Amino acid sequence: MRLIQCEHRGRVHAARVESDRVVRLLDADTYTLARRALTAGQSLAAAVEAALTDTRLDYPQLIEDKRLLPPLTHPDPAHCLVTGTGLTHLGSADTRDAMHAKAQVDDAALTDSMRMFKLGVEGGKPVPGETGAQPEWFYKGDGSCVVAPEAAIPVLHFAEDAGEEPELAGLYVIDDDGQPWRVGYALGNEFSDHVTERFNYLWLAHSKLRACSFGPELLVGELPTHLEGTSRVVRGNETVWEKPFLTGEANMAHSLANLEHHHFKYPNFRRPGDVHVHFFGTATLSFADGIQTRDGDRFEISLPEFGRPLRNPLRFESASRATVVKAL
């Protein structure tokens, strides 16, 4: 089952995807449906079946009319936390072999990033009942940093780079007892400033405070262990960069359960009623191939299992006045 969210007659509604051209409207938004399922002690799929209406909408027309929304939102963006983790994907076999050979020769020569990656390779998939290696973790912002599918991703005037990161995102709701529940998965563009990050890894936190996007479709149910998609950068009518990317647990150093544990182990991330969007990392970037994006470039990220691709153009913002703090 795949769901979208859209604006319909002044309200936010979820809709079930029936084909690449038709969606069937539900009587509420995704967050409300998740809360209903929790209250009733039923699955989200059951709540969706009970919420189906007879209204069918033209999917391409929703996109044309700019009525498409992220597939899960909170009514108050401050109660949606957007976070992620990196150094989680294995990358190519050649890269792994080279890394392992170097590690065996001289562990002290490894960078901090490579040590973190090595921890994940060795301990990121613990057996049930045990705690695995702690991954890298970062904060992106609250729900106000999320850009709808097809909408423009803003590039801050002081940014050094504007690069895509094709990833899976886990979408979660916290129940009234503080228990996290996974609503489903979405295709995501975590989006980052890689020049700032490359200058010094201590600036990683700065480089992640950027916009992001996920969707357009929410996958409800089990996630395949092997997923292969395509990420591209389009300039006008020309594809200036295109590359396949691998994701899913078969291509990761960490299990998704381990990444979820190390995020939700913190009590402040189990606040009742909150929504969480957690990006699971990538191994494929156009930046790594020397691509410098421009105003108007369009990111297109696709995975067949997630339906329609996630597409977002870039909008470079002009410089603004410096923010000056005033004393009361």
Side-chain angles (χ1 to χ4, degrees), residues 5 68-74 76-83 139-154 169-171 186-191 208-216 275-279 310 312 315:
Q5 275 198 141
L68 201 57
L69 302 171
L72 175 65
T73 51
H74 193 286
D76 178 1
H79 284 277
C80 172
L81 295 180
V82 185
T83 56
Y139 172 72
K140 285 196 70 68
D142 63 16
S144 62
C145 78
V146 177
V147 173
E150 303 289 335
I153 292 178
L171 309 181
L187 189 57
N189 183 353
E190 191 256 299
F191 189 69
K208 295 298 185 182
L209 293 174
R210 301 293 187 267
C212 63
S213 188
F214 63 91
V275 164
H276 285 251
V277 178
H278 193 64
F279 287 94
L310 174 61
N312 299 95
R315 184 186 72 243

Side-chain angles (χ1 to χ4, degrees), residues 303-323:
L303 269 172
E305 291 82 356
F306 285 80
R308 281 188 174 270
L310 174 61
R311 304 188 305 183
N312 299 95
L314 281 176
R315 184 186 72 243
F316 281 64
E317 297 185 336
S318 57
S320 59
R321 290 185 300 174
T323 300

